């Protein structure tokens, strides 16, 4: 009799656990016109999606199920008289720390004595809730490396208590010698090729500045024989523009390995694509993966998606991972829209993105 009771209780427990996970279907692209999307799974259980969404600040969408999204309006307004910002508000990321919400973003800096065409820096604003309002704590950027920077991404190291910020140095006035540049010049296409590079630096605990000097994490390959050169140089070889980008970095840890994803090529073109690199330390050195790119246009295989890039990785409470990124389709034209596709790490450590997809997908949540 006791064994029967135990058996029944075990079955009931399994059924109860099963009921705690609910699955819903969706299709890409989502009905959200964002560039550079970032999703926060907040402590209130809801999902909040931020992105490049306006000339004067940022808005947010919220969701309970990752499928239906509600426009919550603007959560941060820049370009005010008291702000350090001027315009071009890009790539927001929001982090929940100690009951506060911190929005990191890029914008043009008002302080521009040499009248630079690109004067981007990184700053942050704080709010008591994920829907804002977010207010700047500093009357200046977090720091000034002496060149324009964008695409802040933070990593909080629970082992040593340190906070690391990764960013991209802009291509602006950053012509770099390489075999690709020499080849493009020989073709009569471009006199030089500018590059953007990803750097990492330790942040002060209160985010008021940096500790030490930035360290180079990733850059485009020098040699045309490099296995990464073909896909990372497509904007040049397609004669779109004389620039090679390494931008939109996002770092996360799986086991003992740090994975840094990044985007290459012109964000406004069809060749925008995503790769990744790995390291044993959050400050590198990072080694680019042999299976790059892991996300790119699918038009060559009959699909309708181009311009896949600037992603983040969302880890669900059931352990599933999703790659959140923007792209374009033949239907959306030049508008950047949000995609969410499954991301997985294979047993031998390879990162794989199952996308871009436009057919029905499933997302499961633990309640």
């Amino acid at each position: 009799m006791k064994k029967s009771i135990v058996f029944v209780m075990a079955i009931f427990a399994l059924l109860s656990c099963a009921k705690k996970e609910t699955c819903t279907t969706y299709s890409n692209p989502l009905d959200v016109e964002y560039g550079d999307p970032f999703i926060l799974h907040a402590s209130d259980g809801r999902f909040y999606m931020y992105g490049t969404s306006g000339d004067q600040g940022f808005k947010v969408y919220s969701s309970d199920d990752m499928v239906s999204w509600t426009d919550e309006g603007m959560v941060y307004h820049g370009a005010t008289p008291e702000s350090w910002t001027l315009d071009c508000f890009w790539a927001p990321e929001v982090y929940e720390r100690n009951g506060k919400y911190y929005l990191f973003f890029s914008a043009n800096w008002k302080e521009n004595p040499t009248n630079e065409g690109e004067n981007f820096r990184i700053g942050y604003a704080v709010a008591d809730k994920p829907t804002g309002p977010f207010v700047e704590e500093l009357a200046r950027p977090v720091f000034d490396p002496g060149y324009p920077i964008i695409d802040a991404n933070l990593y909080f190291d629970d082992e040593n208590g340190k906070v690391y910020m990764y960013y991209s140095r802009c291509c602006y006035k950053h012509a770099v010698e390489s075999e690709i540049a020499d080849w493009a010049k020989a073709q009569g296409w471009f006199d030089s090729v500018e590059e953007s590079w990803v750097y990492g630096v330790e942040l002060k605990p209160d985010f008021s500045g940096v500790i030490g000097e930035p360290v180079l994490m990733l850059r485009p390959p020098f040699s045309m024989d490099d296995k990464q050169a073909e896909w990372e140089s497509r904007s040049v070889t397609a004669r779109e523009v004389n620039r090679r980008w390494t931008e939109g970095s996002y770092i996360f840890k799986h086991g003992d390995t740090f994975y840094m994803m990044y985007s290459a090529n012109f964000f406004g073109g069809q060749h925008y694509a995503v790769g990744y690199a790995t390291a044993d330390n959050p400050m590198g050195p990072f080694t680019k993966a042999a299976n790059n790119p892991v996300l790119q246009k699918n038009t060559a295989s009959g699909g309708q998606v181009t311009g896949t890039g600037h992603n983040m990785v969302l880890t669900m409470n059931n352990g599933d991972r999703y790659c959140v990124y923007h792209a374009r389709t033949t239907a959306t034209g030049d508008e950047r829209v949000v995609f969410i596709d499954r991301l997985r790490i294979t047993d031998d450590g390879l990162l794989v993105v199952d996308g871009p997809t436009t057919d029905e997908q499933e997302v499961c949540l633990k309640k």
Side-chain angles (χ1 to χ4, degrees), residues 330-352:
T330 52
T332 61
D334 291 335
E335 292 296 335
R336 293 182 291 180
V337 286
V338 178
F339 281 64
I340 301 177
D341 280 312
R342 186 66 65 92
L343 181 150
R344 49 195 172 85
I345 307 294
T346 65
D347 292 340
D348 54 357
L350 292 180
L351 185 154
V352 178

PDB file of all heavy atoms in Angstrom, residues 330-352:
ATOM      1  N   THR A 330      12.470  40.638 -47.750  1.00  0.00           N
ATOM      2  CA  THR A 330      11.972  41.244 -48.984  1.00  0.00           C
ATOM      3  C   THR A 330      10.686  42.022 -48.733  1.00  0.00           C
ATOM      4  O   THR A 330      10.385  42.992 -49.431  1.00  0.00           O
ATOM      5  CB  THR A 330      11.707  40.146 -50.034  1.00  0.00           C
ATOM      6  OG1 THR A 330      10.880  39.128 -49.447  1.00  0.00           O
ATOM      7  CG2 THR A 330      13.012  39.505 -50.484  1.00  0.00           C
ATOM      8  N   ALA A 331       9.941  41.633 -47.690  1.00  0.00           N
ATOM      9  CA  ALA A 331       8.687  42.326 -47.366  1.00  0.00           C
ATOM     10  C   ALA A 331       8.911  43.604 -46.573  1.00  0.00           C
ATOM     11  O   ALA A 331       8.201  44.603 -46.759  1.00  0.00           O
ATOM     12  CB  ALA A 331       7.752  41.396 -46.597  1.00  0.00           C
ATOM     13  N   THR A 332       9.889  43.600 -45.676  1.00  0.00           N
ATOM     14  CA  THR A 332      10.120  44.769 -44.824  1.00  0.00           C
ATOM     15  C   THR A 332      11.012  45.811 -45.480  1.00  0.00           C
ATOM     16  O   THR A 332      11.100  46.940 -44.998  1.00  0.00           O
ATOM     17  CB  THR A 332      10.746  44.347 -43.489  1.00  0.00           C
ATOM     18  OG1 THR A 332      12.012  43.708 -43.727  1.00  0.00           O
ATOM     19  CG2 THR A 332       9.841  43.385 -42.744  1.00  0.00           C
ATOM     20  N   GLY A 333      11.710  45.450 -46.548  1.00  0.00           N
ATOM     21  CA  GLY A 333      12.549  46.411 -47.252  1.00  0.00           C
ATOM     22  C   GLY A 333      13.727  46.867 -46.415  1.00  0.00           C
ATOM     23  O   GLY A 333      14.461  46.058 -45.856  1.00  0.00           O
ATOM     24  N   ASP A 334      13.893  48.187 -46.302  1.00  0.00           N
ATOM     25  CA  ASP A 334      15.031  48.731 -45.569  1.00  0.00           C
ATOM     26  C   ASP A 334      14.830  48.749 -44.063  1.00  0.00           C
ATOM     27  O   ASP A 334      15.775  49.027 -43.309  1.00  0.00           O
ATOM     28  CB  ASP A 334      15.339  50.159 -46.049  1.00  0.00           C
ATOM     29  CG  ASP A 334      15.883  50.185 -47.470  1.00  0.00           C
ATOM     30  OD1 ASP A 334      16.463  49.164 -47.890  1.00  0.00           O
ATOM     31  OD2 ASP A 334      15.708  51.212 -48.161  1.00  0.00           O
ATOM     32  N   GLU A 335      13.605  48.508 -43.607  1.00  0.00           N
ATOM     33  CA  GLU A 335      13.335  48.538 -42.171  1.00  0.00           C
ATOM     34  C   GLU A 335      13.983  47.339 -41.473  1.00  0.00           C
ATOM     35  O   GLU A 335      13.870  46.201 -41.931  1.00  0.00           O
ATOM     36  CB  GLU A 335      11.835  48.520 -41.905  1.00  0.00           C
ATOM     37  CG  GLU A 335      11.108  49.777 -42.346  1.00  0.00           C
ATOM     38  CD  GLU A 335      11.539  51.012 -41.576  1.00  0.00           C
ATOM     39  OE1 GLU A 335      12.012  50.862 -40.431  1.00  0.00           O
ATOM     40  OE2 GLU A 335      11.405  52.119 -42.122  1.00  0.00           O
ATOM     41  N   ARG A 336      14.660  47.605 -40.359  1.00  0.00           N
ATOM     42  CA  ARG A 336      15.223  46.517 -39.562  1.00  0.00           C
ATOM     43  C   ARG A 336      14.137  45.992 -38.624  1.00  0.00           C
ATOM     44  O   ARG A 336      13.474  46.768 -37.932  1.00  0.00           O
ATOM     45  CB  ARG A 336      16.430  47.005 -38.761  1.00  0.00           C
ATOM     46  CG  ARG A 336      17.603  47.389 -39.645  1.00  0.00           C
ATOM     47  CD  ARG A 336      18.810  47.821 -38.840  1.00  0.00           C
ATOM     48  NE  ARG A 336      18.580  49.094 -38.161  1.00  0.00           N
ATOM     49  CZ  ARG A 336      19.492  49.688 -37.391  1.00  0.00           C
ATOM     50  NH1 ARG A 336      20.664  49.123 -37.179  1.00  0.00           N
ATOM     51  NH2 ARG A 336      19.223  50.844 -36.815  1.00  0.00           N
ATOM     52  N   VAL A 337      13.964  44.689 -38.614  1.00  0.00           N
ATOM     53  CA  VAL A 337      12.954  44.052 -37.776  1.00  0.00           C
ATOM     54  C   VAL A 337      13.615  42.969 -36.931  1.00  0.00           C
ATOM     55  O   VAL A 337      14.703  42.485 -37.236  1.00  0.00           O
ATOM     56  CB  VAL A 337      11.811  43.461 -38.630  1.00  0.00           C
ATOM     57  CG1 VAL A 337      10.920  44.566 -39.165  1.00  0.00           C
ATOM     58  CG2 VAL A 337      12.368  42.616 -39.771  1.00  0.00           C
ATOM     59  N   VAL A 338      12.937  42.587 -35.859  1.00  0.00           N
ATOM     60  CA  VAL A 338      13.529  41.686 -34.869  1.00  0.00           C
ATOM     61  C   VAL A 338      13.249  40.222 -35.203  1.00  0.00           C
ATOM     62  O   VAL A 338      12.120  39.856 -35.549  1.00  0.00           O
ATOM     63  CB  VAL A 338      13.004  42.014 -33.459  1.00  0.00           C
ATOM     64  CG1 VAL A 338      13.571  41.035 -32.427  1.00  0.00           C
ATOM     65  CG2 VAL A 338      13.377  43.445 -33.082  1.00  0.00           C
ATOM     66  N   PHE A 339      14.295  39.418 -35.050  1.00  0.00           N
ATOM     67  CA  PHE A 339      14.214  37.967 -35.194  1.00  0.00           C
ATOM     68  C   PHE A 339      14.673  37.323 -33.889  1.00  0.00           C
ATOM     69  O   PHE A 339      15.546  37.851 -33.192  1.00  0.00           O
ATOM     70  CB  PHE A 339      15.138  37.472 -36.308  1.00  0.00           C
ATOM     71  CG  PHE A 339      14.624  37.648 -37.707  1.00  0.00           C
ATOM     72  CD1 PHE A 339      14.403  38.917 -38.234  1.00  0.00           C
ATOM     73  CD2 PHE A 339      14.381  36.549 -38.501  1.00  0.00           C
ATOM     74  CE1 PHE A 339      13.946  39.079 -39.529  1.00  0.00           C
ATOM     75  CE2 PHE A 339      13.920  36.699 -39.800  1.00  0.00           C
ATOM     76  CZ  PHE A 339      13.704  37.960 -40.314  1.00  0.00           C
ATOM     77  N   ILE A 340      14.094  36.169 -33.577  1.00  0.00           N
ATOM     78  CA  ILE A 340      14.544  35.359 -32.440  1.00  0.00           C
ATOM     79  C   ILE A 340      14.651  33.915 -32.909  1.00  0.00           C
ATOM     80  O   ILE A 340      13.657  33.326 -33.355  1.00  0.00           O
ATOM     81  CB  ILE A 340      13.567  35.450 -31.246  1.00  0.00           C
ATOM     82  CG1 ILE A 340      13.423  36.890 -30.772  1.00  0.00           C
ATOM     83  CG2 ILE A 340      14.043  34.557 -30.097  1.00  0.00           C
ATOM     84  CD1 ILE A 340      12.417  37.072 -29.638  1.00  0.00           C
ATOM     85  N   ASP A 341      15.851  33.360 -32.834  1.00  0.00           N
ATOM     86  CA  ASP A 341      16.076  31.979 -33.245  1.00  0.00           C
ATOM     87  C   ASP A 341      16.858  31.220 -32.189  1.00  0.00           C
ATOM     88  O   ASP A 341      17.630  31.813 -31.417  1.00  0.00           O
ATOM     89  CB  ASP A 341      16.825  31.926 -34.582  1.00  0.00           C
ATOM     90  CG  ASP A 341      15.907  32.152 -35.769  1.00  0.00           C
ATOM     91  OD1 ASP A 341      14.840  31.517 -35.810  1.00  0.00           O
ATOM     92  OD2 ASP A 341      16.247  32.960 -36.648  1.00  0.00           O
ATOM     93  N   ARG A 342      16.674  29.908 -32.180  1.00  0.00           N
ATOM     94  CA  ARG A 342      17.334  29.059 -31.190  1.00  0.00           C
ATOM     95  C   ARG A 342      18.858  29.078 -31.389  1.00  0.00           C
ATOM     96  O   ARG A 342      19.347  29.022 -32.516  1.00  0.00           O
ATOM     97  CB  ARG A 342      16.807  27.630 -31.298  1.00  0.00           C
ATOM     98  CG  ARG A 342      17.305  26.653 -30.236  1.00  0.00           C
ATOM     99  CD  ARG A 342      16.804  27.017 -28.864  1.00  0.00           C
ATOM    100  NE  ARG A 342      15.371  26.906 -28.746  1.00  0.00           N
ATOM    101  CZ  ARG A 342      14.747  25.808 -28.333  1.00  0.00           C
ATOM    102  NH1 ARG A 342      15.416  24.720 -28.016  1.00  0.00           N
ATOM    103  NH2 ARG A 342      13.430  25.808 -28.237  1.00  0.00           N
ATOM    104  N   LEU A 343      19.564  29.170 -30.269  1.00  0.00           N
ATOM    105  CA  LEU A 343      21.025  29.096 -30.252  1.00  0.00           C
ATOM    106  C   LEU A 343      21.421  27.930 -29.359  1.00  0.00           C
ATOM    107  O   LEU A 343      20.855  27.739 -28.283  1.00  0.00           O
ATOM    108  CB  LEU A 343      21.630  30.401 -29.734  1.00  0.00           C
ATOM    109  CG  LEU A 343      23.157  30.505 -29.662  1.00  0.00           C
ATOM    110  CD1 LEU A 343      23.590  31.966 -29.858  1.00  0.00           C
ATOM    111  CD2 LEU A 343      23.727  30.002 -28.337  1.00  0.00           C
ATOM    112  N   ARG A 344      22.396  27.147 -29.791  1.00  0.00           N
ATOM    113  CA  ARG A 344      22.833  26.012 -28.990  1.00  0.00           C
ATOM    114  C   ARG A 344      24.341  25.838 -29.070  1.00  0.00           C
ATOM    115  O   ARG A 344      24.980  26.280 -30.030  1.00  0.00           O
ATOM    116  CB  ARG A 344      22.122  24.724 -29.442  1.00  0.00           C
ATOM    117  CG  ARG A 344      22.153  24.487 -30.912  1.00  0.00           C
ATOM    118  CD  ARG A 344      21.147  23.431 -31.369  1.00  0.00           C
ATOM    119  NE  ARG A 344      21.088  23.371 -32.823  1.00  0.00           N
ATOM    120  CZ  ARG A 344      21.925  22.651 -33.566  1.00  0.00           C
ATOM    121  NH1 ARG A 344      22.875  21.912 -32.971  1.00  0.00           N
ATOM    122  NH2 ARG A 344      21.830  22.646 -34.872  1.00  0.00           N
ATOM    123  N   ILE A 345      24.880  25.219 -28.039  1.00  0.00           N
ATOM    124  CA  ILE A 345      26.291  24.866 -27.978  1.00  0.00           C
ATOM    125  C   ILE A 345      26.380  23.349 -28.088  1.00  0.00           C
ATOM    126  O   ILE A 345      25.779  22.631 -27.280  1.00  0.00           O
ATOM    127  CB  ILE A 345      26.955  25.340 -26.673  1.00  0.00           C
ATOM    128  CG1 ILE A 345      26.705  26.832 -26.434  1.00  0.00           C
ATOM    129  CG2 ILE A 345      28.447  25.037 -26.697  1.00  0.00           C
ATOM    130  CD1 ILE A 345      27.338  27.755 -27.428  1.00  0.00           C
ATOM    131  N   THR A 346      27.104  22.855 -29.074  1.00  0.00           N
ATOM    132  CA  THR A 346      27.210  21.415 -29.270  1.00  0.00           C
ATOM    133  C   THR A 346      28.137  20.804 -28.220  1.00  0.00           C
ATOM    134  O   THR A 346      28.821  21.514 -27.481  1.00  0.00           O
ATOM    135  CB  THR A 346      27.752  21.088 -30.670  1.00  0.00           C
ATOM    136  OG1 THR A 346      29.109  21.564 -30.775  1.00  0.00           O
ATOM    137  CG2 THR A 346      26.904  21.776 -31.738  1.00  0.00           C
ATOM    138  N   ASP A 347      28.159  19.474 -28.175  1.00  0.00           N
ATOM    139  CA  ASP A 347      28.998  18.773 -27.193  1.00  0.00           C
ATOM    140  C   ASP A 347      30.480  19.086 -27.361  1.00  0.00           C
ATOM    141  O   ASP A 347      31.240  19.039 -26.392  1.00  0.00           O
ATOM    142  CB  ASP A 347      28.774  17.258 -27.292  1.00  0.00           C
ATOM    143  CG  ASP A 347      27.384  16.844 -26.835  1.00  0.00           C
ATOM    144  OD1 ASP A 347      26.746  17.637 -26.112  1.00  0.00           O
ATOM    145  OD2 ASP A 347      26.944  15.742 -27.208  1.00  0.00           O
ATOM    146  N   ASP A 348      30.896  19.409 -28.583  1.00  0.00           N
ATOM    147  CA  ASP A 348      32.300  19.757 -28.804  1.00  0.00           C
ATOM    148  C   ASP A 348      32.550  21.259 -28.786  1.00  0.00           C
ATOM    149  O   ASP A 348      33.604  21.737 -29.218  1.00  0.00           O
ATOM    150  CB  ASP A 348      32.819  19.151 -30.109  1.00  0.00           C
ATOM    151  CG  ASP A 348      31.956  19.521 -31.311  1.00  0.00           C
ATOM    152  OD1 ASP A 348      30.921  20.208 -31.123  1.00  0.00           O
ATOM    153  OD2 ASP A 348      32.318  19.135 -32.429  1.00  0.00           O
ATOM    154  N   GLY A 349      31.569  22.030 -28.263  1.00  0.00           N
ATOM    155  CA  GLY A 349      31.787  23.447 -28.008  1.00  0.00           C
ATOM    156  C   GLY A 349      31.467  24.387 -29.145  1.00  0.00           C
ATOM    157  O   GLY A 349      31.702  25.595 -29.023  1.00  0.00           O
ATOM    158  N   LEU A 350      30.919  23.881 -30.247  1.00  0.00           N
ATOM    159  CA  LEU A 350      30.579  24.765 -31.356  1.00  0.00           C
ATOM    160  C   LEU A 350      29.277  25.499 -31.071  1.00  0.00           C
ATOM    161  O   LEU A 350      28.307  24.909 -30.590  1.00  0.00           O
ATOM    162  CB  LEU A 350      30.426  23.972 -32.650  1.00  0.00           C
ATOM    163  CG  LEU A 350      31.686  23.348 -33.242  1.00  0.00           C
ATOM    164  CD1 LEU A 350      31.343  22.598 -34.517  1.00  0.00           C
ATOM    165  CD2 LEU A 350      32.738  24.411 -33.526  1.00  0.00           C
ATOM    166  N   LEU A 351      29.265  26.787 -31.374  1.00  0.00           N
ATOM    167  CA  LEU A 351      28.053  27.596 -31.248  1.00  0.00           C
ATOM    168  C   LEU A 351      27.300  27.523 -32.573  1.00  0.00           C
ATOM    169  O   LEU A 351      27.882  27.746 -33.644  1.00  0.00           O
ATOM    170  CB  LEU A 351      28.414  29.033 -30.896  1.00  0.00           C
ATOM    171  CG  LEU A 351      27.275  30.012 -30.604  1.00  0.00           C
ATOM    172  CD1 LEU A 351      27.756  31.138 -29.696  1.00  0.00           C
ATOM    173  CD2 LEU A 351      26.692  30.610 -31.885  1.00  0.00           C
ATOM    174  N   VAL A 352      25.995  27.237 -32.499  1.00  0.00           N
ATOM    175  CA  VAL A 352      25.165  27.108 -33.691  1.00  0.00           C
ATOM    176  C   VAL A 352      23.902  27.932 -33.504  1.00  0.00           C
ATOM    177  O   VAL A 352      23.248  27.861 -32.458  1.00  0.00           O
ATOM    178  CB  VAL A 352      24.777  25.634 -33.950  1.00  0.00           C
ATOM    179  CG1 VAL A 352      23.869  25.523 -35.170  1.00  0.00           C
ATOM    180  CG2 VAL A 352      26.033  24.779 -34.128  1.00  0.00           C
TER     181      VAL A 352
END
